[in-house]
């Protein structure tokens, strides 16, 4: 028996969401009295060490150029590993890869899937009970997975990443994928221009702005605040729709759903569709010149006033705070 | 080319969420139901655009649910779908829904199954991938552009930190996100025509339950927002450090 954890390398590092999955999978393995096994493709020695430190006792290390980002091939590789190691629970991050692969594997193995878990499971007889957000963050449901094999896709940023001194046993592992002809042909890859910022889904600190900024030329004060905090910038839907900011910065129901530790919303009124994408944030600060803006009802801290005067002052205050920290 | 568009019947975004039966059921009393926005705005409208451009012959709506969801299905027909099928059944999870759709799509020879990127009630993003897994078809998730030429689809979709353009031979399954199409409002002619369009009702295929919901609870909203005066910004920074502990 084992708990199998899918991990991946992106832009030369182990994805943060993957390390969270390993931490989580190690806990689940402990709970079930079994072994936490991670699977990874094309990882170097340092990356394998990092996955080990996050708690994987064994790592199945693949070197396979065919798999790429094809969800059919990833699913087949994980399926083979799950069968070879008798996995009773398979863990994914509920990120872009997890959303494509976990449901496919669930259907293939008839393994019940909880997509977007926010807490550790509890054991109830042969079932696992796992919490997940429903109704776009307005409520939580406890799901019971009754199937023999179970899949949990963990919502990113649910737990901070922990690293210990565990050293994993590395097994060079190969998946037999010869019979599968890749049917999705990649023609072009484009990277979002993030200017070196942490990608939004992984960001712990986010500075976001809306129509209150009046125009794209005014984003300098938002970027300055983000730089001072080492945060990632985001925006509301109208701002993305008007092309003031790139599409990938749009957070909300139709854009990216995020749950950073700190979300600072500047000049965003707080429509319900926007809240649905950010209400999982641990702390929300709202800056708005309209004291009736609905966002204040969903915020932890609020400042009523002119963003063009408040935001630069906040940036200076953050800089002063950081200087005193050092 | 025939396109099958899966639609879910969901409470409108502004619904005040409540539960009943000891917090084990969603309380649908007084709730306005709509087509799941991602299924409607992106999957269905893009399918209709492909048909209007003579790239698809037929657009069928499929919905898994009970008879009370027929008003929602008719709205999809009013937008322009040719016909609809309702699989008459209610299951415990996404796998039940996916199994019904996969079974119908396999039996009726569809070239493309489109779903929205997730439902706004269960937010699982699961049905499309499960259909693809059951039918052994390729699956492209979170697609923002979809074009078809003959037997081949060209799709742009979100990846970690960027986007990818892929090509794939049909049949396939695609989950649709913002960017693919714009919301449409049904016109009077469409609404009238929808009344007489075929809406077949098909018995559900028995499917094993893999998961179930034990109970619900409302997430506690933020109760008080601490207001800070613009003249004491340092206090906000201090609170973020000492009280919220986020910086």
């Amino acid at each position: 028996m084992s708990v199998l954890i899918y991990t991946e390398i992106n832009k030369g590092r182990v994805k943060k969401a993957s390390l969270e999955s390993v931490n989580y999978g190690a806990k689940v393995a402990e709970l079930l009295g079994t072994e936490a096994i991670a699977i990874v493709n094309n990882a170097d020695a340092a990356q394998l060490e990092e996955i080990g430190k996050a708690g994987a006792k064994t790592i199945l290390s693949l070197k396979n150029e065919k798999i790429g980002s094809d969800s059919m091939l990833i699913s087949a590789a994980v399926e083979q590993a799950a069968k070879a190691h008798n996995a009773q629970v398979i863990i994914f991050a509920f990120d872009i890869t997890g959303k494509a692969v976990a449901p496919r594997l669930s259907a293939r193995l008839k393994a019940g899937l909880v997509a977007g878990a926010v807490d550790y499971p509890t054991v109830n007889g042969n079932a696992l009970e796992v919490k997940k957000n429903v109704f776009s963050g307005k409520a939580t449901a406890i799901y019971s997975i009754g199937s023999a094999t179970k899949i949990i896709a963990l919502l990113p940023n649910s737990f901070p990443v922990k690293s210990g001194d565990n050293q994993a046993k590395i097994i060079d592992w190969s998946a037999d994928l010869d019979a599968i002809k890749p049917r999705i042909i990649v023609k072009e890859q484009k990277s979002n221009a993030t200017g070196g910022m942490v990608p939004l889904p992984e960001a712990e600190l986010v500075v976001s702005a809306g129509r209150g900024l009046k125009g794209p030329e005014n984003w300098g004060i938002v970027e300055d605040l983000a730089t001072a905090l080492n945060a990632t910038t985001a925006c509301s839907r109208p701002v993305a729709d008007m092309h003031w900011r790139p599409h990938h910065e749009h957070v909300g129901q139709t854009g990216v759903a995020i749950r950073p530790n700190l979300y600072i919303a500047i000049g965003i009124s707080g429509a319900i569709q926007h809240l649905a994408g950010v209400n999982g944030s641990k702390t929300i600060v709202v800056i708005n010149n309209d004291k009736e803006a609905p966002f204040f009802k969903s915020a932890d801290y609020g400042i009523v006033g002119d963003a063009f005067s408040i935001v630069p002052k906040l940036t200076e205050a953050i800089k002063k705070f950081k200087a005193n920290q050092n | 080319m025939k396109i099958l568009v899966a639609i879910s019947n969901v409470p409108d975004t502004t619904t005040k969420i409540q539960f009943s039966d000891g917090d084990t059921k969603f309380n649908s009393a007084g709730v306005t139901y709509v087509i799941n926005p991602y299924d409607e705005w992106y999957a269905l409208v893009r399918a209709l655009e492909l048909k209007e451009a003579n790239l698809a012959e037929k657009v069928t709506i499929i919905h898994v649910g009970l008879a009370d969801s027929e008003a929602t299905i008719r709205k999809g027909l009013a937008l322009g779908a040719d016909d609809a099928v309702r699989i008459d059944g209610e299951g415990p999870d996404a796998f039940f829904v996916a199994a019904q759709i996969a079974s119908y799509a396999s039996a009726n020879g569809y070239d493309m199954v489109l779903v929205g990127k997730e439902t706004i009630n269960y937010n699982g993003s699961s049905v499309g991938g499960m259909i693809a897994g059951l039918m052994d078809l390729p699956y492209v998730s979170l697609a923002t552009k979809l074009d078809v030429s003959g037997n081949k689809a060209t799709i742009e979709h979100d990846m970690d930190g960027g986007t990818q353009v892929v090509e794939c031979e049909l049949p396939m399954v695609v989950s649709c996100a913002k960017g693919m199409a714009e919301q449409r409002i049904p016109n009077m002619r469409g609404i009238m025509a929808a009344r007489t369009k075929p809406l077949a009702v098909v018995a559900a295929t028995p499917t094993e339950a893999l998961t179930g919901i034990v109970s619900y609870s409302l997430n506690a909203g933020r109760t008080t927002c601490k207001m800070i005066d613009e003249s004491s910004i340092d206090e906000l920074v201090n609170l973020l450090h000492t009280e919220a502990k986020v910086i």
Side-chain angles (χ1 to χ4, degrees):
Chain A
M1 298 292 230
S2 68
V3 171
L4 180 66
I5 306 141
Y6 175 77
T7 61
E8 63 186 7
I9 310 297
N10 186 36
K11 297 204 164 89
R13 60 193 187 101
V14 185
K15 275 173 69 176
K16 184 177 160 223
S18 291
L19 293 172
E20 292 168 6
S21 299
V22 176
N23 285 168
Y24 184 89
K27 279 253 190 173
V28 177
E30 210 178 285
L31 180 75
L32 299 173
T34 182
E35 190 192 12
I37 304 177
I39 178 169
V40 67
N41 189 20
N42 295 328
D44 64 25
Q47 291 157 349
L48 291 169
E49 192 185 327
E50 200 179 0
I51 295 169
K53 283 182 172 169
K57 296 292 177 211
T58 301
I59 303 174
L60 306 177
S61 172
L62 279 91
K63 300 284 179 205
N64 187 313
E65 296 304 325
K66 184 181 172 185
I67 293 176
S69 58
D70 189 318
S71 56
M72 195 182 260
L73 292 167
I74 296 172
S75 173
V78 178
E79 182 177 339
Q80 286 176 24
K83 285 180 173 159
H85 291 269
N86 199 9
Q88 57 195 125
V89 183
I90 305 168
I91 311 286
F92 287 90
F94 192 54
D95 58 4
I96 285 176
T97 309
K99 286 176 185 180
V101 178
R104 177 174 213 105
L105 194 59
S106 166
R108 299 260 320 161
L109 297 175
K110 301 284 182 287
L113 164 67
V114 171
V118 293
D119 205 349
Y120 296 108
T122 55
V123 179
N124 185 354
N126 291 324
L128 283 185
E129 294 186 349
V130 194
K131 262 187 203 171
K132 102 172 200 77
N133 284 330
V134 291
F135 296 99
S136 302
K138 289 183 206 166
T140 305
I142 297 174
Y143 279 70
S144 171
I145 317 177
S147 52
T149 309
K150 302 165 174 71
I151 305 182
I152 301 174
L154 175 68
L155 193 64
N157 288 348
S158 293
F159 299 102
V161 175
K162 287 193 184 120
S163 181
D165 52 10
N166 178 57
Q167 278 193 331
K169 182 173 86 179
I170 314 289
I171 300 179
D172 289 324
W173 199 75
S174 57
D176 179 13
L177 303 171
D178 293 347
I180 304 174
K181 180 177 169 280
R183 285 186 262 178
I184 293 173
I185 313 298
V186 178
K187 305 300 281 188
E188 197 185 339
Q189 303 258 23
K190 300 178 205 169
S191 281
N192 295 331
T194 53
M197 289 186 293
V198 180
L200 257 185
E202 293 191 356
E204 291 178 353
L205 305 171
V206 174
V207 178
S208 185
R211 262 185 300 195
L213 267 275
K214 297 191 168 69
E217 67 280 9
N218 295 327
W219 242 259
I221 57 169
V222 177
E223 285 166 348
D224 287 347
L225 176 56
T227 305
L229 276 166
N230 197 19
T232 300
T233 53
C235 69
S236 66
R237 176 173 180 159
V239 163
D241 284 353
M242 290 184 291
H243 304 292
W244 290 4
R245 299 295 291 178
H247 161 71
H248 66 80
E249 281 200 359
H250 164 201
V251 293
Q253 191 169 74
T254 49
V256 186
I258 55 168
R259 47 189 347 234
N261 292 337
L262 173 64
Y263 183 72
I264 301 181
I266 304 162
I268 300 175
S269 64
I272 197 157
Q273 291 83 356
H274 185 78
L275 295 179
V278 303
N279 59 13
S281 307
K282 290 183 185 72
T283 298
I284 295 179
V285 175
V286 168
I287 299 169
N288 205 298
N289 60 5
D290 175 8
K291 68 180 195 319
E292 303 297 329
F295 216 151
F296 285 117
K297 290 198 176 70
S298 302
D300 300 287
Y301 304 102
I303 307 180
V304 178
D306 178 12
F308 296 100
S309 132
I310 294 169
V311 175
K313 282 184 198 162
L314 181 54
T315 305
E316 286 314 308
I318 295 284
K319 282 184 185 163
K320 198 170 76 186
F321 165 76
K322 293 240 170 165
N324 289 338
Q325 291 288 98
N326 295 330
Chain B
M1 208 233 342
K2 286 161 64 181
I3 306 178
L4 188 64
V5 180
I7 64 166
S8 188
N9 185 38
V10 300
D12 172 66
T13 307
T14 57
T15 304
K16 187 169 162 34
I17 304 299
Q18 290 177 315
F19 302 106
S20 64
D21 298 43
D23 287 337
T24 59
K25 285 199 168 60
F26 174 67
N27 183 355
S28 60
V31 170
T32 304
Y33 278 85
V34 296
I35 306 177
N36 181 50
Y38 303 108
D39 304 343
E40 178 190 332
W41 303 344
Y42 309 130
L44 178 57
V45 174
R46 186 62 193 142
L48 296 173
E49 287 173 354
L50 290 172
K51 191 187 166 204
E52 287 154 9
N54 294 317
L55 295 165
E57 287 106 61
K58 186 177 172 186
V59 176
T60 301
I61 287 173
I62 187 164
H63 171 72
V64 180
L66 304 179
D68 56 8
S69 55
E70 289 198 356
T72 300
I73 300 173
R74 290 280 174 206
K75 190 189 167 197
L77 290 171
L79 284 164
D82 296 292
D83 61 353
V85 56
R86 177 172 68 81
I87 308 294
D88 188 29
E90 215 174 21
D93 57 10
F95 182 71
F96 177 86
V97 174
Q100 306 307 320
I101 296 170
S103 158
Y104 185 85
S106 304
N108 293 279
Y110 283 88
D111 305 281
M112 189 179 266
V113 181
L114 299 184
V115 299
K117 75 160 183 172
E118 64 182 64
T119 59
I120 63 168
N121 49 358
Y122 293 104
N123 309 99
S125 216
S126 300
V127 169
M130 286 177 174
I131 296 170
L134 289 167
M135 297 178 73
D136 195 26
L137 290 181
Y139 175 52
V140 175
S141 57
L142 307 174
T144 52
K145 279 182 194 161
L146 164 66
D147 280 295
V148 177
S149 168
N151 190 37
K152 200 183 270 177
T154 304
I155 299 164
E156 185 165 327
H157 73 122
D158 286 348
M159 292 296 292
D160 278 313
T163 56
Q164 202 177 51
V165 179
V166 299
E167 262 181 22
C168 183
E169 273 185 28
L170 303 180
M172 70 177 308
V173 183
V174 181
S175 93
C176 306
K178 192 191 168 202
M180 184 168 279
E182 294 292 331
Q183 184 181 7
R184 286 184 180 183
I185 309 291
N187 58 28
M188 190 47 71
R189 196 164 142 245
I191 293 166
M192 298 300 285
R195 292 183 185 171
T196 52
K197 281 182 181 172
L199 195 172
V201 178
V202 176
T205 310
T207 303
E208 64 204 286
L210 301 181
T211 66
I213 290 176
V214 180
S215 65
Y216 293 95
S217 57
L218 284 175
N219 285 343
R222 288 165 165 85
T223 44
T224 46
C225 177
K226 220 174 246 184
M227 298 309 291
I228 290 148
D229 193 80
E230 184 181 343
S231 60
S232 42
I233 292 254
D234 285 336
E235 189 198 334
L236 173 64
V237 175
N238 186 36
L239 286 168
L240 291 176
H241 180 60
T242 57
E243 188 177 71
K245 297 185 171 61
V246 290
I247 61 170

